[in-house]
């Protein structure tokens, strides 16, 4: 199991926000954005104050999945040098706050190291006003993803049973072995055909981590494949609102409950 750094741990370049949860994967299309939204919603339904941040800076789509048209987004924050809290938008029915990105924004894709650090510093300072900050990260293991993930108290790595998703999740987990990598990694198997198949997928990845990295990231949960996910995304309505009893919604609600029991 990876060791959790103490909330007060800080290096010269970063301080870790204990209440921040990064949702990462390596591979795109495994359900990070949908999971981030649903997790934010589930935690809010438990009475928690939640801020959801669209950290897929160049290909933002939290706002699209939620049907939000924020007056101020991260693109505006950077272009007009605004404080990041100006981009906070309320998702009324979900009961949580959102900071939306801007898809295709060149200034977000090509953030300099200094600007990225300042943005992250402002974001994590803002997170202190919430019980949880959830960061929907972009695919891959590039600098922005690594920097944001490394500053979160928990990193949920999402995979599916596809070999490419497993390989890319492994590549992401491997970062946690490095000095400036993510700490406290847990795995989520999404799009599982059944709980048993999800367990098997987790077992495969766990074995690789144990053999080659000498770490054993715990399982945060398995989320079943569910046709109502696509339907609710198409309707731009969170699944916990549209289909509260759906299998995939139940599975994410269970992940949220376990996070509250064992943060
Ligand atoms: N549990 C699930 N069951 C069915 N479809 C899912 C599930 N999770 C995600 N999807 C589908 O996968 C697509 C990609 O999800 P998304 O959250 O955009 O992935 P990412 O952010 O990792 O690129 C969604 O449009 C949705 O249709
Ligand atoms: Mg996404």
């Amino acid at each position: 199991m990876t060791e959790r750094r103490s909330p007060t741990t800080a290096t010269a370049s970063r301080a870790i926000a204990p209440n921040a949860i990064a949702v990462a994967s390596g591979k795109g299309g495994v359900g990070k954005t949908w999971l981030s939204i649903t997790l934010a919603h589930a935690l809010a339904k438990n009475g928690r104050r939640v801020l959801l941040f669209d950290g897929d800076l160049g290909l933002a789509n939290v706002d699209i999945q939620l049907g939000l048209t924020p007056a101020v987004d991260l693109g505006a924050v950077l272009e007009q040098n605004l404080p990041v809290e100006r981009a906070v938008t309320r998702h009324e029915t979900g009961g949580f706050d959102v900071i939306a990105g801007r898809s295709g924004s060149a200034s977000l894709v090509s953030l300099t190291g200094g600007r990225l650090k300042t943005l992250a510093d402002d974001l994590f300072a803002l997170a202190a006003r919430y019980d949880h900050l959830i960061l929907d990260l972009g695919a891959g293991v590039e600098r922005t993803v690594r920097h944001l993930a490394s500053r979160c108290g928990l990193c949920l790595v999402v995979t599916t049973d596809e070999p490419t998703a497993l390989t890319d999740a492994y590549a992401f987990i491997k970062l946690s072995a490095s000095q400036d990598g993510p700490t406290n990694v847990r795995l989520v198997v999404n799009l599982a055909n059944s709980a048993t198949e999800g367990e098997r997928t987790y077992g495969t990845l766990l074995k690789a981590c144990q053999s080659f990295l000498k770490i054993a990231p715990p399982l945060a949960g398995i989320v079943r494949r569910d046709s109502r996910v696509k339907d609710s995304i198409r309707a731009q309505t969170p699944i916990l609102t549209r289909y509260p009893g759906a299998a995939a919604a139940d599975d994410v609600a269970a992940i949220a409950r376990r996070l509250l029991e064992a943060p």
Side-chain angles (χ1 to χ4, degrees), residues 32-33 56 61 136:
K32 282 181 304 298
T33 300
D56 193 350
N61 52 20
D136 171 26

Side-chain angles (χ1 to χ4, degrees), residues 25 27-36 56 61 65 136-137 139 158 190-192 223-231 233 248:
S25 68
K27 187 177 182 298
V30 296
K32 282 181 304 298
T33 300
W34 172 79
L35 178 74
S36 302
D56 193 350
N61 52 20
Q65 287 203 20
D136 171 26
L137 296 182
V158 185
N190 188 23
L191 287 155
V223 183
R224 286 166 287 175
R225 182 184 297 276
D226 188 331
S227 60
R228 284 162 295 186
V229 171
K230 197 161 272 174
D231 180 289
I233 291 175

Side-chain angles (χ1 to χ4, degrees), residues 77-136:
V77 164
L78 288 174
E79 282 161 19
Q80 298 164 43
N81 225 0
L82 302 172
V84 73
E85 59 255 51
R86 283 285 307 280
V88 172
T89 307
R90 185 79 176 157
H91 189 275
E92 288 296 343
T93 49
F96 55 91
D97 285 350
V98 178
I99 293 181
R102 184 186 293 172
S103 218
S105 163
S107 54
L108 284 170
V109 176
S110 54
L111 275 185
T112 62
R115 195 66 190 90
L116 171 63
K117 186 174 177 302
T118 311
L119 179 67
D121 286 345
D122 292 351
L123 174 68
F124 290 114
L126 181 61
R129 297 190 210 154
Y130 292 85
D131 296 312
H132 307 279
L133 165 66
I134 296 180
L135 293 94
D136 171 26

Side-chain angles (χ1 to χ4, degrees), residues 22-228:
V23 179
S25 68
K27 187 177 182 298
V30 296
K32 282 181 304 298
T33 300
W34 172 79
L35 178 74
S36 302
I37 290 170
T38 310
L39 187 59
H41 195 183
L43 290 166
K45 279 168 93 74
N46 276 280
R48 314 293 292 205
R49 293 165 302 167
V50 183
L51 175 61
L52 171 62
F53 175 81
D54 195 335
D56 193 350
L57 298 180
L59 293 169
N61 52 20
V62 166
D63 54 330
I64 313 236
Q65 287 203 20
L66 285 172
L68 288 174
T69 39
V72 179
D73 61 17
L74 275 176
V77 164
L78 288 174
E79 282 161 19
Q80 298 164 43
N81 225 0
L82 302 172
V84 73
E85 59 255 51
R86 283 285 307 280
V88 172
T89 307
R90 185 79 176 157
H91 189 275
E92 288 296 343
T93 49
F96 55 91
D97 285 350
V98 178
I99 293 181
R102 184 186 293 172
S103 218
S105 163
S107 54
L108 284 170
V109 176
S110 54
L111 275 185
T112 62
R115 195 66 190 90
L116 171 63
K117 186 174 177 302
T118 311
L119 179 67
D121 286 345
D122 292 351
L123 174 68
F124 290 114
L126 181 61
R129 297 190 210 154
Y130 292 85
D131 296 312
H132 307 279
L133 165 66
I134 296 180
L135 293 94
D136 171 26
L137 296 182
V141 292
E142 50 80 35
R143 186 173 50 97
T144 307
V145 168
R146 287 200 315 270
H147 180 81
L148 293 173
S150 73
R151 295 183 60 173
C152 293
L154 173 63
C155 186
L156 296 178
V157 178
V158 185
T159 188
T160 69
D161 68 352
E162 281 183 36
T164 45
L166 283 166
T167 309
D168 292 357
Y170 175 82
F172 188 91
I173 296 163
K174 200 172 168 191
L175 296 175
S176 65
S178 67
Q179 183 59 36
D180 60 351
T183 56
N184 197 26
V185 168
R186 292 183 206 167
L187 304 182
V188 175
V189 179
N190 188 23
L191 287 155
N193 289 321
S194 66
T196 314
E197 280 197 20
E199 293 278 356
R200 203 175 303 141
T201 301
Y202 170 64
T204 304
L205 191 48
L206 179 64
K207 213 161 145 195
C209 292
Q210 285 172 323
S211 301
F212 302 113
L213 304 175
K214 312 292 175 218
I215 56 169
L219 180 67
I222 290 161
V223 183
R224 286 166 287 175
R225 182 184 297 276
D226 188 331
S227 60
R228 284 162 295 186

